[in-house]
Amino acid sequence: MTRVGSSKNETMRKTEKEDKSNIVLGEENSVKSAFNHSGNSGAEKLGKEFLLKALRNMLTARTLDNKTMNLLRQGRTFFHIAGSGHEAIQTAVGLSLEPGKDWLFPYYRDIALVLSIGGLTPYDFFLQCFAKAEDPASGGRQISSHWSSTEMNIPTQSSPTGTQFLNAVGVALAGVKKKQNYVTIVSSGEGTTSQGEFHEAVNWASREKLPVLFLIENNKYAISVPVQHQSGGKDNSVACMMGGFENLYTARIDGTDFYESYSSVQEALKYIKEGKGPALIEADVVRLQSHSSSDDQKKYRDKDELEDDLKRCPIEQLSKRLLSEGTISKDEYENLKEEIASEINNAADEAFKAKDPVAESAARFVYDESGLKESLEYEKNRPSGSPIVMVDAINHALQEEMAVNDKMYIFGEDVADAKGGVFTATKGLSIKYGFDRVFNSPLAEASIVGVATGMALTGLKPVIEIQFGDYIWPAFMQYKSEIASVRYRSNNKWFAPVVTRVAVGGYIHGGLYHSQNIESIFAHVPGIYIAYPSNAADAKGLLKTACRINDPVLFCEHKGLYRQSFAMSPSPDEEYLVPFGKAKIIREGTDVTVVSYGHSLWDTVLASKKLEEEGYSVEIVDIRTIIPLDEETIFNSVKKTNKVVVIYEDTFTAGFGSEIAARIGDNCFQFLDAPVKRIASQDAHIPYAPVLENAILPNRDVIYKGIKELIEF
């Protein structure tokens, strides 16, 4: 094993280490010499019990792989991703951790790793394979090889490659802030290191010297794409590629050799626990089965290469050594294999007989069902303080919630003082509550959201800022595949209630990249609440509610309303909360209903005043939250006026107003005296010049004419 890093190459440094199984290395020997293939037996240093435990774990993982492939051929299960060839490094890592204290973000091949820390039993494994209701990982909601255990600090795993790295950094950061002494381990194959979020995660962890172990299991193939088409490091090495990070310990090892693997892991953990920074181990392993049960590697891999890989089988290497050293006899080895096979066969038979999930549970746990949200006291008094603009109301909400919740952390780009956010929404917060709780992030949206997700998994309440909705898209994978589905895919065992504040909307002459509305895209993602206030009081009340509930919230702040006088309102007190899913009728009327939100709502108010002067009566509904949507208030208003216009700032095609219009058509058709009308932006990008912007966005004149046209229909 060689160390490759930011400063210089070096061999393994000496250390004295007591393994968690109370098997002590010799005091006069370094870890490296304890695992030397020549001289004194490694068994003498690690102990028979420990080595047999490792061998048993590796055999169990391999037998599970083989058994599952047989079940697939029989049509009794549906999918499998094998870890055969990865067992040595995985077992070495698992036997080096403190289960229930350290955190683990494994990837889909890590069956031996999850087994080794007690996060999985063969019975648990088959419950997942057969998609049974008692599957502890997901209750049958995820495909097999997606691990989860609250007891072992294994957050529910998703399928996208790379998203887990930032989540792991978030967990590590949370541990540092809470002054808890644990290590976070995150693993993947070498192909995943091509993802940008891997590099962002290593950057954040290295910069802050976070206690993270990055385990890269390099089997040379990302499905069919060989490593030489993936990594730009010297000799296609991931460890070499990451060598520029000053605080990052890097090593490239033979991951099929249990002794070298265990030695390397001990050295890396020593470095981490000394507070020097994170570590990255690139373990060269072999993929002895195809990428998955849906793949056939014989189509793209050379026969000689496959045969060479078999010669490096980690189980063969370890068992031969233990047999040659007399640590285990041939009969004991055969008996061990038979015992494991019997245990696994029995586990499969029992799991197959377990109950299937019931169809009625399929849509449960998209959101929190604990009753917390319903137990809060909403709008207990009328806002009666001095008039306040929206951006200040938001600042006050954050100030108040930080005071009552010491688990709340605020971060994002430029949010710390003296800047206090590009719109000053967070001004004064870091001075008042400290730069440990209110801090600047790197300029990387995926990093902000991914790290916040990890922090939330540990029980913290991150409230993050994305400066402009236009720049949220690098983080969309984190929202769609991580935050939104955590509760659902874990069958209600994990949740990540991150609050994201984001400035949206046009009318500020910001051009294409400072004017976007994003609510319709996120509304398509189950699991995220979306607020879109139109005035200061609602902004404060909704944001305070978002900070208290146990669901993720996308909090859209129209920057065109931040300091507008018409969006001002009396300042609410510190107990003022606004419920999600409760619209507000801000103007009573009888001739037509207008459903709107955000900036468009105020253009509607001005248009309705002009129409009132002409003798028309307009009822205006401010929906306040996109998800959940208060259908009842909308439908009751439509039934009253019998005509409805939906006005929104997003594009006409597929903007969220289209969804509102469709629901009105489905539920109120018999009450309508005219077609459901929509007024929205043109299907174009938002230009810079004021005259062009005004032509694209729904302006007051267009809104006035559109409402009047429907009234006179």
Side-chain angles (χ1 to χ4, degrees):
M1 189 280 290
T2 56
R3 164 86 189 276
V4 292
S6 58
S7 55
K8 57 184 177 180
N9 293 340
E10 60 182 349
T11 57
M12 192 77 90
R13 295 189 300 272
K14 294 184 178 182
T15 185
E16 296 169 351
K17 182 77 177 177
E18 182 174 351
D19 144 274
K20 70 180 182 182
S21 301
N22 297 318
I23 299 158
V24 184
L25 298 175
E27 293 182 1
E28 302 301 322
N29 296 282
S30 71
V31 172
K32 183 178 180 182
S33 64
F35 300 117
N36 200 309
H37 284 228
S38 60
N40 292 333
S41 166
E44 293 175 4
K45 305 304 178 183
L46 287 176
K48 177 178 179 178
E49 181 183 353
F50 180 80
L51 289 166
L52 291 184
K53 181 179 181 181
L55 180 61
R56 170 183 281 275
N57 192 77
M58 293 165 66
L59 282 167
T60 301
R62 180 69 60 86
T63 309
L64 284 170
D65 275 345
N66 295 336
K67 176 68 174 180
T68 308
M69 293 305 294
N70 287 334
L71 291 169
L72 272 159
R73 295 183 190 100
Q74 297 166 12
R76 297 174 70 188
T77 186
F78 316 110
F79 184 75
H80 182 59
I81 301 180
S84 296
H86 293 232
E87 296 96 344
I89 182 60
Q90 291 179 12
T91 300
V93 171
L95 295 181
S96 301
L97 304 183
E98 296 184 60
K101 178 184 177 182
D102 294 329
W103 285 69
L104 176 62
F105 286 80
Y107 91 122
Y108 43 71
R109 282 195 210 289
D110 282 341
I111 182 171
L113 177 48
V114 180
L115 281 168
S116 65
I117 66 167
L120 184 75
T121 68
Y123 180 67
D124 295 337
F125 175 82
F126 287 116
L127 287 173
Q128 190 178 71
C129 280
F130 297 135
K132 296 296 184 177
E134 296 177 14
D135 160 30
S138 72
R141 296 177 175 215
Q142 290 229 78
I143 61 176
S144 61
S145 304
H146 285 61
W147 325 110
S148 176
S149 171
T150 53
E151 296 81 4
M152 292 295 126
N153 291 338
I154 305 175
T156 172
Q157 183 194 344
S158 64
S159 289
T161 57
T163 52
Q164 73 272 27
F165 288 113
L166 287 168
N167 302 161
V169 169
V171 165
L173 181 62
V176 171
K177 292 192 176 294
K178 293 189 288 185
K179 296 179 171 57
Q180 295 178 348
N181 184 27
Y182 59 75
V183 176
T184 303
I185 295 84
V186 57
S187 64
S188 81
E190 82 290 342
T192 302
T193 64
S194 296
Q195 293 283 342
E197 291 182 25
F198 164 70
H199 296 264
E200 291 183 28
V202 174
N203 178 58
W204 192 314
S206 299
R207 180 174 51 82
E208 298 201 22
K209 296 185 178 181
L210 296 178
V212 183
L213 172 59
F214 296 92
L215 172 63
I216 308 303
E217 301 170 43
N218 187 347
N219 64 27
K220 307 298 186 294
Y221 282 91
I223 305 185
S224 67
V225 180
V227 67
Q228 57 266 33
H229 294 166
Q230 294 281 353
S231 174
K234 182 179 179 182
D235 297 325
N236 310 120
S237 167
V238 177
C240 286
M241 179 172 63
M242 309 309 289
F245 290 98
E246 182 179 3
N247 300 317
L248 179 68
Y249 172 102
T250 57
R252 186 176 189 180
I253 67 167
D254 180 357
T256 67
D257 185 323
F258 176 76
Y259 293 89
E260 182 175 336
S261 295
Y262 188 76
S263 169
S264 177
V265 172
Q266 295 299 304
E267 183 71 9
L269 291 176
K270 179 177 183 291
Y271 180 90
I272 292 170
K273 291 178 179 181
E274 288 174 350
K276 296 179 179 179
L280 183 149
I281 294 176
E282 179 183 8
D284 288 321
V285 294
V286 288
R287 197 181 77 187
L288 299 183
Q289 294 195 35
S290 297
H291 167 73
S292 72
S293 55
S294 301
D295 177 46
D296 181 4
Q297 64 182 354
K298 293 178 182 178
K299 293 180 178 179
Y300 53 83
R301 295 189 65 185
D302 183 75
K303 180 180 178 182
D304 292 340
E305 182 186 56
L306 292 172
E307 290 176 352
D308 288 341
D309 276 2
L310 283 172
K311 295 174 184 176
R312 293 184 61 210
C313 170
I315 295 176
E316 285 295 307
Q317 292 185 59
L318 180 59
S319 61
K320 284 181 179 179
R321 179 161 180 189
L322 296 182
L323 285 166
S324 67
E325 293 174 346
T327 306
I328 188 173
S329 69
K330 187 174 182 180
D331 287 343
E332 287 176 320
Y333 184 45
E334 293 302 320
N335 289 338
L336 178 61
K337 289 193 290 185
E338 290 177 9
E339 178 186 332
I340 291 170
S342 177
E343 177 189 357
I344 287 173
N345 287 333
N346 290 335
D349 292 341
E350 289 302 309
F352 190 74
K353 292 183 288 187
K355 293 181 180 179
D356 294 321
V358 294
E360 292 77 13
S361 69
R364 291 198 64 188
F365 306 131
V366 176
Y367 299 99
D368 180 26
E369 298 180 14
S370 69
L372 172 64
K373 180 167 78 325
E374 292 75 18
S375 71
L376 299 176
E377 187 175 359
Y378 296 106
E379 297 177 303
K380 59 191 297 186
N381 48 48
R382 293 174 62 89
S384 57
S386 300
I388 189 172
V389 295
M390 183 187 286
V391 71
D392 288 344
I394 289 167
N395 181 274
H396 293 179
L398 295 173
Q399 297 250 16
E400 293 166 7
E401 292 306 301
M402 287 287 282
V404 299
N405 185 0
D406 62 4
K407 294 182 178 180
M408 184 168 151
Y409 288 79
I410 295 174
F411 62 98
E413 299 163 16
D414 300 299
V415 302
D417 293 308
K419 181 71 174 175
V422 294
F423 297 104
T424 71
T426 55
K427 192 169 183 61
L429 292 178
S430 55
I431 291 174
K432 184 174 183 178
Y433 293 103
F435 288 85
D436 183 60
R437 290 185 63 195
V438 183
F439 55 93
N440 290 329
S441 72
L443 200 159
E445 285 75 16
S447 289
I448 297 169
V449 180
V451 167
T453 302
M455 294 177 71
L457 290 171
T458 73
L460 297 183
K461 184 71 177 185
V463 178
I464 58 176
E465 178 180 303
I466 301 295
Q467 277 186 358
F468 292 90
D470 314 65
Y471 305 126
I472 202 169
W473 308 119
F476 190 69
M477 177 71 88
Q478 287 290 339
Y479 286 109
K480 175 67 173 69
S481 299
E482 297 299 339
I483 288 180
S485 65
V486 163
R487 186 184 295 278
Y488 182 81
R489 71 177 190 253
S490 69
N491 206 23
N492 204 38
K493 291 186 177 180
W494 293 95
F495 55 97
V498 177
V499 178
T500 303
R501 294 181 39 256
V502 56
V504 299
Y507 302 101
I508 64 164
H509 316 313
L512 279 70
Y513 300 109
H514 296 84
S515 306
Q516 293 177 27
N517 280 276
I518 63 175
E519 71 275 9
S520 64
I521 306 299
F522 281 89
H524 189 69
V525 181
I528 300 177
Y529 282 143
I530 305 173
Y532 203 140
S534 60
N535 62 75
D538 284 351
K540 182 176 181 180
L542 285 168
L543 183 54
K544 288 173 70 70
T545 299
C547 291
R548 298 191 186 189
I549 62 177
N550 279 335
D551 285 302
V553 175
L554 183 72
F555 196 84
C556 297
E557 302 168 6
H558 199 296
K559 50 190 172 289
L561 297 179
Y562 271 147
R563 292 179 172 83
Q564 284 288 358
S565 59
F566 52 71
M568 293 176 67
S569 63
S571 179
D573 64 22
E574 61 186 21
E575 297 300 321
Y576 187 71
L577 304 177
V578 172
F580 277 63
K582 183 62 177 175
K584 185 177 182 179
I585 296 177
I586 64 168
R587 191 181 186 91
E588 298 276 355
T590 56
D591 292 333
V592 65
T593 293
V594 177
V595 180
S596 190
Y597 56 94
H599 195 286
S600 296
L601 178 88
W602 292 107
D603 288 334
T604 300
V605 169
L606 293 172
S608 69
K609 289 179 179 179
K610 184 177 180 180
L611 288 164
E612 187 177 78
E613 294 170 357
E614 299 175 12
Y616 300 109
S617 177
V618 180
E619 181 152 299
I620 303 176
V621 179
D622 182 356
I623 63 172
R624 302 202 289 190
T625 61
I626 305 294
I627 304 293
L629 179 67
D630 181 1
E631 295 180 334
E632 182 180 3
T633 297
I634 295 171
F635 296 165
N636 286 340
S637 179
V638 172
K639 292 173 184 178
K640 171 185 171 183
T641 66
N642 308 118
K643 293 180 180 179
V644 60
V645 184
V646 183
I647 302 177
Y648 55 103
E649 185 180 329
D650 202 358
T651 54
F652 184 84
T653 300
F656 190 73
S658 301
E659 177 67 24
I660 298 173
R663 295 191 191 189
I664 292 170
D666 284 346
N667 293 275
C668 302
F669 180 78
Q670 64 271 39
F671 300 98
L672 292 171
D673 292 337
V676 178
K677 184 176 181 63
R678 286 182 290 147
I679 299 174
S681 292
Q682 293 191 48
D683 291 340
H685 302 289
I686 300 172
Y688 174 52
V691 65
L692 299 177
E693 180 187 48
N694 192 55
I696 295 297
L697 296 174
N699 59 59
R700 295 172 189 175
D701 186 55
V702 169
I703 289 172
Y704 162 78
K705 290 178 180 178
I707 296 173
K708 185 174 183 179
E709 179 183 89
L710 187 69
I711 293 174
E712 296 176 343
F713 179 84

Coordinates of all heavy atoms in Angstrom, one line a residue, residues 242-290:
M242 N -7.1 13.4 -6.6 CA -7.5 14.2 -5.5 C -6.3 14.7 -4.7 O -6.5 15.2 -3.6 CB -8.5 13.5 -4.6 CG -9.7 12.9 -5.4 SD -10.5 14.1 -6.5 CE -11.3 15.1 -5.3
G243 N -5.1 14.5 -5.2 CA -3.9 14.8 -4.4 C -3.7 16.2 -4.1 O -2.8 16.6 -3.3
G244 N -4.4 17.2 -4.7 CA -4.1 18.6 -4.5 C -4.8 19.2 -3.3 O -4.5 20.3 -2.9
F245 N -5.6 18.4 -2.6 CA -6.2 18.9 -1.4 C -5.3 18.8 -0.2 O -4.9 17.6 0.2 CB -7.5 18.1 -1.1 CG -8.6 18.5 -2.1 CD1 -8.9 17.6 -3.2 CD2 -9.4 19.6 -1.9 CE1 -9.9 17.9 -4.1 CE2 -10.4 19.9 -2.8 CZ -10.6 19.1 -3.9
E246 N -4.9 19.9 0.4 CA -3.8 19.9 1.4 C -4.1 19.0 2.6 O -3.2 18.4 3.2 CB -3.6 21.4 1.9 CG -2.5 21.5 2.9 CD -2.3 23.0 3.3 OE1 -3.1 23.8 2.8 OE2 -1.4 23.2 4.1
N247 N -5.4 19.0 3.1 CA -5.7 18.3 4.3 C -6.2 16.9 4.1 O -6.6 16.3 5.1 CB -6.8 19.1 5.1 CG -6.3 20.5 5.4 OD1 -5.1 20.7 5.9 ND2 -7.1 21.5 5.3
L248 N -6.3 16.5 2.9 CA -6.8 15.2 2.6 C -5.8 14.1 2.6 O -4.8 14.1 1.8 CB -7.5 15.2 1.2 CG -8.2 13.9 0.7 CD1 -9.4 13.6 1.6 CD2 -8.6 14.0 -0.7
Y249 N -6.0 13.1 3.4 CA -5.1 11.9 3.4 C -5.6 11.0 2.3 O -6.8 10.7 2.2 CB -5.2 11.1 4.7 CG -4.6 9.8 4.8 CD1 -3.4 9.6 5.4 CD2 -5.2 8.6 4.3 CE1 -2.8 8.4 5.5 CE2 -4.6 7.4 4.3 CZ -3.4 7.3 5.0 OH -2.8 6.0 5.0
T250 N -4.7 10.6 1.4 CA -5.1 9.7 0.3 C -4.2 8.4 0.3 O -3.0 8.5 0.5 CB -5.0 10.4 -1.1 OG1 -3.7 10.9 -1.2 CG2 -6.0 11.6 -1.1
A251 N -4.8 7.3 -0.1 CA -4.0 6.1 -0.2 C -4.7 5.2 -1.3 O -5.9 5.2 -1.4 CB -4.0 5.3 1.1
R252 N -3.9 4.5 -2.0 CA -4.4 3.6 -3.0 C -3.8 2.2 -2.6 O -2.6 2.0 -2.4 CB -3.9 3.9 -4.4 CG -4.5 3.0 -5.5 CD -4.1 3.4 -6.9 NE -4.8 2.6 -7.9 CZ -4.7 2.8 -9.2 NH1 -3.8 3.6 -9.7 NH2 -5.4 2.1 -10.0
I253 N -4.8 1.2 -2.4 CA -4.4 0.0 -1.8 C -5.0 -1.2 -2.6 O -5.8 -1.0 -3.5 CB -4.9 -0.1 -0.4 CG1 -6.4 -0.2 -0.4 CG2 -4.4 1.0 0.5 CD1 -7.0 -0.6 1.0
D254 N -4.5 -2.4 -2.3 CA -5.1 -3.6 -2.8 C -6.3 -4.0 -2.0 O -6.2 -4.5 -0.9 CB -4.1 -4.7 -2.8 CG -4.6 -6.0 -3.4 OD1 -5.9 -6.1 -3.7 OD2 -3.9 -7.0 -3.5
G255 N -7.5 -3.6 -2.5 CA -8.7 -3.9 -1.7 C -9.2 -5.3 -1.7 O -10.2 -5.6 -1.0
T256 N -8.4 -6.2 -2.4 CA -8.8 -7.6 -2.3 C -8.0 -8.3 -1.2 O -8.3 -9.4 -0.8 CB -8.5 -8.3 -3.6 OG1 -7.1 -8.4 -3.8 CG2 -9.2 -7.6 -4.8
D257 N -7.1 -7.6 -0.6 CA -6.2 -8.2 0.5 C -6.8 -7.6 1.8 O -6.7 -6.4 2.1 CB -4.8 -7.7 0.3 CG -3.8 -8.3 1.3 OD1 -4.2 -8.5 2.5 OD2 -2.7 -8.6 0.9
F258 N -7.3 -8.5 2.6 CA -8.0 -8.1 3.9 C -7.0 -7.4 4.8 O -7.2 -6.4 5.5 CB -8.6 -9.3 4.6 CG -9.2 -8.9 5.9 CD1 -10.4 -8.1 6.0 CD2 -8.5 -9.2 7.1 CE1 -10.9 -7.7 7.3 CE2 -9.0 -8.8 8.3 CZ -10.2 -8.1 8.4
Y259 N -5.8 -8.0 4.9 CA -4.7 -7.5 5.8 C -4.3 -6.0 5.4 O -4.3 -5.1 6.3 CB -3.5 -8.4 5.8 CG -3.8 -9.7 6.4 CD1 -4.2 -10.8 5.6 CD2 -3.5 -10.0 7.7 CE1 -4.4 -12.0 6.1 CE2 -3.8 -11.2 8.3 CZ -4.2 -12.3 7.5 OH -4.5 -13.5 8.0
E260 N -4.1 -5.8 4.2 CA -3.7 -4.5 3.7 C -4.9 -3.5 3.9 O -4.7 -2.4 4.2 CB -3.2 -4.5 2.3 CG -2.8 -3.2 1.8 CD -2.1 -3.2 0.4 OE1 -1.7 -4.3 -0.1 OE2 -2.2 -2.2 -0.3
S261 N -6.1 -4.0 3.6 CA -7.2 -3.2 3.7 C -7.4 -2.7 5.1 O -7.7 -1.5 5.4 CB -8.5 -4.0 3.2 OG -8.4 -4.2 1.8
Y262 N -7.4 -3.7 6.1 CA -7.6 -3.3 7.5 C -6.5 -2.3 8.0 O -6.8 -1.4 8.7 CB -7.6 -4.6 8.3 CG -8.0 -4.3 9.8 CD1 -9.4 -4.1 10.1 CD2 -7.1 -4.3 10.8 CE1 -9.7 -3.9 11.4 CE2 -7.4 -4.0 12.1 CZ -8.8 -3.8 12.4 OH -9.1 -3.6 13.7
S263 N -5.3 -2.6 7.6 CA -4.2 -1.7 8.0 C -4.4 -0.3 7.4 O -4.2 0.7 8.2 CB -2.9 -2.3 7.4 OG -1.8 -1.3 7.5
S264 N -4.8 -0.2 6.2 CA -5.0 1.1 5.6 C -6.1 1.9 6.3 O -6.0 3.1 6.5 CB -5.3 1.0 4.1 OG -5.5 2.2 3.5
V265 N -7.2 1.2 6.6 CA -8.4 1.8 7.2 C -8.0 2.3 8.6 O -8.3 3.4 9.0 CB -9.5 0.8 7.3 CG1 -10.7 1.4 8.1 CG2 -10.0 0.5 5.9
Q266 N -7.2 1.5 9.3 CA -6.7 1.9 10.7 C -5.9 3.2 10.5 O -6.1 4.1 11.4 CB -5.9 0.8 11.3 CG -6.7 -0.4 11.6 CD -7.8 -0.2 12.6 OE1 -7.6 0.3 13.7 NE2 -9.0 -0.5 12.2
E267 N -5.0 3.3 9.6 CA -4.2 4.5 9.4 C -5.0 5.7 9.0 O -4.8 6.8 9.5 CB -3.1 4.2 8.4 CG -2.2 5.3 8.1 CD -1.2 5.5 9.3 OE1 -1.2 4.6 10.2 OE2 -0.5 6.5 9.3
A268 N -6.0 5.5 8.1 CA -6.8 6.6 7.7 C -7.7 7.1 8.9 O -7.8 8.3 9.1 CB -7.7 6.2 6.6
L269 N -8.2 6.2 9.7 CA -9.1 6.6 10.8 C -8.2 7.3 11.9 O -8.7 8.3 12.5 CB -9.8 5.4 11.4 CG -10.9 4.8 10.6 CD1 -11.4 3.5 11.2 CD2 -12.0 5.8 10.3
K270 N -7.0 6.9 12.0 CA -6.1 7.5 13.0 C -5.9 9.0 12.5 O -5.9 9.9 13.4 CB -4.8 6.8 13.0 CG -3.7 7.4 14.0 CD -2.4 6.6 14.0 CE -1.4 7.1 14.9 NZ -0.8 8.4 14.5
Y271 N -5.6 9.2 11.3 CA -5.4 10.5 10.7 C -6.7 11.4 10.9 O -6.6 12.6 11.4 CB -5.2 10.4 9.2 CG -4.9 11.7 8.5 CD1 -3.7 12.3 8.4 CD2 -6.0 12.4 7.9 CE1 -3.5 13.4 7.7 CE2 -5.8 13.6 7.2 CZ -4.5 14.1 7.1 OH -4.3 15.3 6.4
I272 N -7.9 10.8 10.7 CA -9.1 11.6 10.8 C -9.3 11.9 12.3 O -9.6 13.1 12.6 CB -10.3 10.7 10.3 CG1 -10.2 10.6 8.8 CG2 -11.6 11.3 10.7 CD1 -11.2 9.6 8.2
K273 N -9.1 11.0 13.2 CA -9.4 11.2 14.6 C -8.4 12.1 15.3 O -8.7 12.7 16.4 CB -9.5 9.8 15.3 CG -10.7 9.0 14.9 CD -10.8 7.7 15.6 CE -12.0 6.9 15.1 NZ -12.1 5.6 15.8
E274 N -7.3 12.3 14.7 CA -6.3 13.3 15.2 C -6.7 14.7 14.8 O -6.0 15.7 15.1 CB -4.9 12.9 14.7 CG -4.3 11.7 15.4 CD -3.0 11.3 14.8 OE1 -2.6 11.8 13.8 OE2 -2.3 10.4 15.4
G275 N -7.8 14.8 14.0 CA -8.3 16.2 13.6 C -7.5 16.8 12.4 O -7.6 18.0 12.2
K276 N -6.8 15.9 11.7 CA -6.0 16.5 10.6 C -6.8 16.7 9.3 O -6.3 17.5 8.5 CB -4.8 15.5 10.3 CG -3.8 15.3 11.4 CD -2.7 14.3 11.1 CE -1.7 14.2 12.2 NZ -0.7 13.2 11.9
G277 N -7.9 16.1 9.2 CA -8.8 16.2 8.0 C -9.4 14.9 7.6 O -9.3 13.9 8.3
P278 N -10.1 14.9 6.4 CA -10.7 13.7 5.9 C -9.7 12.8 5.3 O -8.5 13.2 5.1 CB -11.7 14.3 4.9 CG -11.0 15.5 4.4 CD -10.3 16.1 5.6
A279 N -10.1 11.6 4.9 CA -9.2 10.7 4.2 C -10.0 10.1 3.1 O -11.2 9.9 3.1 CB -8.8 9.6 5.2
L280 N -9.2 9.7 2.1 CA -9.7 9.0 0.9 C -8.9 7.7 0.6 O -7.7 7.8 0.5 CB -9.7 9.9 -0.3 CG -10.3 9.3 -1.6 CD1 -10.9 10.5 -2.5 CD2 -9.3 8.6 -2.5
I281 N -9.6 6.6 0.6 CA -8.9 5.3 0.3 C -9.5 4.9 -1.0 O -10.7 4.7 -1.2 CB -9.2 4.3 1.4 CG1 -8.5 4.7 2.7 CG2 -8.7 2.9 0.9 CD1 -8.8 3.7 3.8
E282 N -8.6 4.7 -2.0 CA -9.0 4.1 -3.3 C -8.5 2.6 -3.2 O -7.4 2.3 -3.2 CB -8.3 4.8 -4.4 CG -8.6 4.1 -5.8 CD -7.8 4.8 -6.9 OE1 -6.9 5.6 -6.7 OE2 -8.1 4.4 -8.1
A283 N -9.5 1.7 -3.1 CA -9.3 0.3 -3.0 C -9.5 -0.4 -4.3 O -10.6 -0.4 -4.8 CB -10.2 -0.3 -1.9
D284 N -8.4 -0.9 -4.9 CA -8.5 -1.7 -6.1 C -9.1 -3.0 -5.8 O -8.5 -3.8 -5.1 CB -7.1 -1.8 -6.7 CG -6.6 -0.5 -7.3 OD1 -7.4 0.2 -7.9 OD2 -5.4 -0.2 -7.2
V285 N -10.3 -3.3 -6.4 CA -11.0 -4.5 -6.2 C -11.3 -5.2 -7.5 O -10.9 -4.7 -8.6 CB -12.3 -4.3 -5.3 CG1 -11.9 -3.8 -3.9 CG2 -13.2 -3.2 -6.1
V286 N -12.0 -6.2 -7.5 CA -12.4 -6.9 -8.7 C -14.0 -7.1 -8.7 O -14.6 -7.3 -7.6 CB -11.7 -8.3 -8.9 CG1 -10.3 -8.1 -9.2 CG2 -11.9 -9.1 -7.6
R287 N -14.5 -7.0 -9.8 CA -16.0 -7.2 -10.0 C -16.2 -8.6 -10.5 O -16.0 -8.8 -11.7 CB -16.6 -6.1 -10.9 CG -18.1 -6.0 -10.7 CD -18.7 -5.0 -11.7 NE -18.8 -5.5 -13.1 CZ -19.1 -4.7 -14.1 NH1 -19.4 -3.4 -13.9 NH2 -19.2 -5.2 -15.3
L288 N -16.5 -9.5 -9.7 CA -16.6 -10.9 -10.1 C -17.9 -11.3 -10.7 O -18.1 -12.4 -11.3 CB -16.3 -11.8 -8.9 CG -14.9 -11.7 -8.3 CD1 -14.7 -12.6 -7.1 CD2 -13.8 -11.8 -9.3
Q289 N -18.9 -10.4 -10.6 CA -20.2 -10.6 -11.3 C -20.5 -9.4 -12.1 O -19.8 -8.4 -12.0 CB -21.3 -10.9 -10.3 CG -21.2 -12.2 -9.5 CD -22.4 -12.6 -8.8 OE1 -23.5 -12.4 -9.3 NE2 -22.3 -13.3 -7.6
S290 N -21.5 -9.5 -13.0 CA -21.8 -8.4 -13.8 C -22.3 -7.2 -13.0 O -22.6 -7.3 -11.8 CB -22.9 -8.8 -14.8 OG -22.4 -9.8 -15.7

